Amino acid sequence: MSSLLAITAHNANRLEEVAAALVAIAGGIMVLGSMTPMGRRGSQWLSGLCFAVSGVLAVIALHWRR
């Protein structure tokens, strides 16, 4: 397995940090999108995508964390 694809404990911690940052970004997008009437659909789609990606990254990171 190549070193780029190897998930170590350090890489798992980084993935968790990225997942947490995506959750914070998605929350901010939801707040800003709820304030503007025309931005609701786009912000809901983008924040949903951020939540989905962060969930997948968190599951991967938790699986390989030791």
Side-chain angles (χ1 to χ4, degrees), residues 16-40:
E16 286 181 355
E17 291 171 356
V18 170
L22 281 173
V23 168
I25 290 169
I29 290 171
M30 287 180 76
V31 167
L32 292 175
S34 67
M35 291 182 198
T36 59
M38 295 302 290
R40 286 192 181 160

Side-chain angles (χ1 to χ4, degrees), residues 35-49:
M35 291 182 198
T36 59
M38 295 302 290
R40 286 192 181 160
R41 280 204 189 210
S43 66
Q44 286 176 352
W45 179 85
L46 189 58
S47 61
L49 179 66

Side-chain angles (χ1 to χ4, degrees), residues 2-3 5 8-9 16 23-24 32 35 38 47 50 52 54 58 60-61 64:
S2 120
S3 64
L5 298 177
T8 61
E16 286 181 355
V23 168
L32 292 175
M35 291 182 198
M38 295 302 290
S47 61
C50 286
S54 67
I60 291 171
W64 272 283

